[in-house]
């Protein structure tokens, strides 16, 4: 059977509140997660894992616009700049969740949101745009809240599943663990076709891990 694509899209907060240690650790964590994503992809040969990245600050833009096979993907560090236009990022992604450009034979896409603050635009309109697409409704969603002041209610609404919770990353160690878990567990969930109706995540061992924060010296 030919490989079926799994489109994995990072949505990364690159607002000014992410400057310094946060953005450095975010770049490091995603870069270190790529080999683990490759391993998961190799364990699921019927699925072809394709990666993309959207960044959002004062504007939203594709950091990696063309879907790249995980074996060929090279991470390019992101930088901070401006506000927190999450709604614009979600609207940008929603256009890629139509059929076309999303192929009908694809497996569930993965939407992974990482943010540390409060959106500064109409994020609910962007979320509605994602939810209005067939692939947006099917997508495996994960959310990582960076720092104690992150707006978890926004991330919870993005998840669109009361059984799931955003991952809290209150230290560099927690962020690295959250990125690794989101990268691998979500790909595993998306790579498994689910028969019948209902929420695919409810049928999968997808509960987020408890991330211990023993980095007492790390203050974000």
């Amino acid at each position: 059977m030919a490989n079926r694509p799994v489109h994995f899209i990072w949505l990364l907060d690159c607002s000014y509140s992410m400057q310094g240690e946060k953005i450095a650790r975010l770049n490091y964590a995603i870069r270190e997660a790529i080999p683990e994503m490759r391993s998961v992809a190799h364990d699921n040969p019927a699925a072809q894992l394709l990666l993309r990245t959207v960044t959002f600050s004062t504007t939203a833009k594709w950091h990696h616009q063309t879907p790249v096979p995980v074996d060929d993907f090279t991470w390019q560090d992101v930088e901070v700049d401006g506000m927190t236009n999450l709604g614009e990022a979600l609207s940008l992604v929603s256009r890629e969740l139509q059929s076309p450009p999303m192929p009908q034979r694809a497996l569930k896409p993965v939407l992974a949101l990482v943010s540390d603050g409060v959106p500064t635009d109409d994020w609910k309109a962007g979320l509605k745009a994602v939810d209005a697409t067939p692939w947006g409704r099917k997508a495996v969603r994960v959310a990582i809240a960076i720092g104690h002041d992150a707006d978890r209610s926004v991330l919870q609404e993005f998840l669109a599943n009361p059984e799931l919770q955003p991952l809290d990353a209150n230290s560099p160690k927690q962020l690295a663990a959250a990125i690794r878990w989101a990268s691998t567990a979500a790909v595993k969930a998306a790579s498994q076709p689910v028969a019948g109706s209902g929420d695919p995540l409810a049928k999968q061992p997808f509960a987020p891990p408890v991330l211990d924060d023993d980095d007492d010296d790390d203050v974000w």
Side-chain angles (χ1 to χ4, degrees):
M1 184 179 68
N3 289 355
R4 297 175 64 187
V6 174
H7 288 261
F8 189 112
I9 302 176
W10 286 107
L11 295 95
L12 302 180
D13 184 345
C14 292
S15 59
Y16 278 136
S17 60
M18 287 284 293
Q19 64 185 339
E21 181 79 358
K22 288 182 182 180
I23 200 70
R25 288 291 180 172
L26 173 62
N27 282 311
Y28 172 81
I30 294 183
R31 191 163 53 246
E32 291 298 303
I34 299 303
E36 297 187 41
M37 297 179 77
R38 291 187 181 123
S39 178
V40 172
H42 294 164
D43 290 340
N44 293 272
Q48 181 190 23
L49 180 58
L50 302 170
L51 306 185
R52 276 182 283 180
T53 310
V54 169
T55 61
F56 58 96
S57 51
T58 299
T59 187
K61 58 185 178 181
W62 287 103
H63 188 58
H64 303 92
Q65 182 170 10
T66 302
V68 178
V70 65
D71 282 340
D72 301 326
F73 187 82
T74 300
W75 179 248
Q76 299 168 356
D77 285 355
V78 295
E79 299 178 351
V80 298
D81 177 27
M83 307 296 284
T84 312
N85 282 5
L86 172 59
E88 187 181 348
L90 292 168
S91 295
L92 195 64
V93 169
S94 72
R95 295 194 282 273
E96 299 299 310
L97 299 176
Q98 304 281 351
S99 290
M102 187 73 71
Q104 292 186 352
R105 62 182 295 276
L107 294 170
K108 298 179 295 293
V110 178
L111 305 179
L113 173 60
V114 184
S115 181
D116 79 328
V118 179
T120 51
D121 66 348
D122 188 358
W123 66 272
K124 289 192 175 184
L127 185 57
K128 287 180 181 178
V130 170
D131 292 337
T133 67
W135 287 108
R137 291 191 296 272
K138 294 177 182 179
V140 175
R141 303 186 191 187
V142 293
I144 299 172
I146 301 182
H148 295 284
D149 57 348
D151 190 336
R152 298 182 85 258
S153 64
V154 172
L155 300 181
Q156 186 67 61
E157 196 162 341
F158 165 79
L159 290 173
N161 184 340
E163 297 183 8
L164 298 179
Q165 296 291 325
L167 287 174
D168 289 316
N170 297 321
S171 72
K173 180 180 178 180
Q174 283 189 332
L175 176 60
I179 293 289
R180 286 195 302 270
W181 180 87
S183 300
T184 56
V187 170
K188 290 177 183 178
S191 300
Q192 302 300 319
V194 177
S197 60
D199 187 344
L201 292 189
K203 301 179 177 66
Q204 311 235 13
F206 199 74
V210 176
L211 303 178
D212 294 328
D213 184 5
D214 56 6
D215 289 338
D216 296 333
D217 293 334
D218 295 316
V219 179
W220 284 3

